[in-house]
Amino acid sequence: MSDLRVAVLGVGVMGADHVARITSRISGARVTVVNDFVAEKAEQIASEIDGCRAVSDPLDAIADADVDAVVLATPGSTHEKQLLACLEHGKPVMCEKPLTTDVSTSLEIARREAELQRPLIQVGFMRRFDEEYMALKALLDGGELGTPLVMHCVHRNPSVPSYFDSSLIVKDSLVHEVDVTRFLFGEEIASVQIVRPASNPGAPDGVIDPQIAILKTVSGRHVDVELFVTTGVAYEVRTEVVGERGSAMIGLDVGLIRKSAPGTWGGRITPGFRERFGRAYDTEIQRWVDAVRSGRNVDGPTAWDGYAAAAVCAAGVESLDTGLPVDVQLADLKP
Ligand code: ISE
């Protein structure tokens, strides 16, 4: 079977990473088209890959006859149009989160895909492909912990880009725990509340950091998340599930532990999400390529998952203002 011909739209940090993994770390696919609003960046990347061209209009890149499937790593605000183009051309697409930037357009995309009665959209919630999260999911599904009751999460970034504001901490960071909750517990989130502890004096002016998110699932399970994106330390993502017969925790960064003079010990913490989840991204893209080549098109989070996450995050942003729990209402779409 010939290689899947992929267009990568957006070759900033994430997109360039995907180009590199498709070109040199995974099998069955090659990048034939790249696009970026900074034309020189796309041209530079294209010039380094055999058989790859830069195409200046993202919609032309999607329609290109040399493209079987699309990876979207463009800014979220451009996703709606680009996803609609993928649906129109019947091209499978791996869309980095967010699906779109608001709930109504996310729902519209999920509806349009459902009308086609053919899955085409996968959303890039990469934690589902991380070995530790997969092991935790298997443990929960295997029933060893009994009924899962509570989940405690820590999501710390050493720093975030200068455009980050308080609501982006919900929409860009908490969104991962929203998806993890739905993935691990297999149910929807019924309400979300954001509590503001004392702010980090080192956080940029006006940015509420840290934040504590409290999610309640439809069956009443409790999830709390410490979000702290200006720690200045390293990348720390921990998840602990407490069940009726014990608990399990992942994300302890216990790689090599070194003891050295003068009587200290320690290991290394991953500096950022690309290092922490590098293998998960490889697995995610390999499994997506395999799914597209086999005609299944999607092997992971769907447009519905992208919509559900958007709905929970919108409720979270509302709660950021009031401090009160906000109910999440999902439209009736799921088959
Ligand atoms: C970033 O966009 C990510 O997706 C990271 O996984 C997350 O930890 C970070 O907070 C986000 O800004």
Side-chain angles (χ1 to χ4, degrees):
M1 189 189 268
S2 51
D3 279 350
L4 187 74
R5 297 166 308 165
V6 178
V8 177
L9 273 54
V11 286
V13 174
M14 249 354 277
D17 235 33
H18 286 320
V19 170
R21 74 172 37 87
I22 292 171
T23 308
S24 32
R25 290 209 291 285
I26 68 155
S27 60
R30 63 195 163 89
V31 179
T32 50
V33 166
V34 284
N35 156 270
D36 198 279
F37 67 92
V38 183
E40 303 77 56
K41 214 166 20 169
E43 278 152 20
Q44 172 63 40
I45 290 191
S47 72
E48 292 162 3
I49 301 170
D50 268 358
C52 180
R53 284 177 291 126
V55 171
S56 57
D57 183 327
L59 301 184
D60 289 343
I62 292 167
D64 201 292
D66 210 15
V67 167
D68 303 314
V70 178
V71 170
L72 279 193
T74 43
S77 56
T78 63
H79 286 182
E80 183 190 2
K81 239 182 170 177
Q82 294 165 2
L83 286 167
L84 287 173
C86 292
L87 293 180
E88 188 190 320
H89 292 282
K91 298 209 174 162
V93 51
M94 225 305 299
C95 174
E96 277 303 334
K97 53 102 185 153
L99 183 61
T100 68
T101 45
D102 63 75
V103 185
S104 59
T105 52
S106 287
L107 178 59
E108 180 56 18
I109 294 288
R111 285 214 162 110
R112 294 283 270 274
E113 186 201 40
E115 277 163 20
L116 294 177
Q117 297 192 335
R118 185 177 164 224
L120 285 172
I121 301 172
Q122 179 160 334
V123 181
F125 289 126
M126 77 299 188
R127 290 194 191 175
R128 295 190 188 207
F129 301 91
D130 172 65
E131 281 163 21
E132 292 189 24
Y133 277 103
M134 290 197 276
L136 185 54
K137 170 81 174 146
L139 184 77
L140 296 181
D141 289 354
E144 276 176 64
L145 292 188
T147 306
L149 304 169
V150 169
M151 181 153 70
H152 304 293
C153 307
V154 169
H155 186 157
R156 297 188 194 137
N157 291 190
S159 61
V160 278
S162 54
Y163 58 78
F164 240 71
D165 62 14
S166 308
S167 72
L168 269 182
I169 297 177
V170 175
K171 293 194 285 189
D172 210 54
S173 305
L174 176 64
V175 68
H176 286 293
E177 275 77 17
V178 167
D179 186 63
V180 158
T181 299
R182 298 181 61 257
F183 172 60
L184 291 178
F185 287 171
E187 60 170 330
E188 298 298 350
I189 293 164
S191 73
V192 47
Q193 178 178 16
I194 307 288
V195 176
R196 308 168 169 204
S199 249
N200 176 17
D205 265 0
V207 176
I208 301 162
D209 186 50
Q211 300 177 15
I212 306 291
I214 300 170
L215 312 176
K216 205 164 122 196
T217 67
V218 168
S219 74
R221 290 174 180 142
H222 164 103
V223 177
D224 50 71
V225 187
E226 175 209 306
L227 295 148
F228 188 2
V229 301
T230 57
T231 65
V233 177
Y235 192 74
E236 298 169 81
V237 167
R238 284 199 286 281
T239 306
E240 180 182 28
V241 175
V242 186
E244 69 180 310
R245 287 196 289 278
S247 62
M249 188 189 279
I250 59 170
L252 289 175
D253 290 298
V254 277
L256 180 75
I257 295 180
R258 170 143 189 230
K259 300 184 179 180
S260 49
T264 59
W265 67 276
R268 290 186 65 83
I269 313 178
T270 46
F273 60 87
R274 284 163 62 222
E275 294 81 5
R276 167 66 182 83
F277 289 111
R279 277 173 55 188
Y281 284 119
D282 289 352
T283 309
E284 172 188 59
I285 299 296
Q286 181 68 71
R287 279 177 44 184
W288 173 69
V289 165
D290 295 346
V292 174
R293 292 177 87 208
S294 76
R296 284 178 296 126
N297 292 343
V298 172
D299 179 10
T302 61
W304 171 264
D305 294 313
Y307 157 67
V312 175
C313 290
V317 171
E318 203 180 319
S319 173
L320 192 58
D321 284 338
T322 62
L324 299 172
V326 175
D327 287 345
V328 178
Q329 305 292 347
L330 293 183
D332 194 8
L333 172 77
K334 209 169 184 181

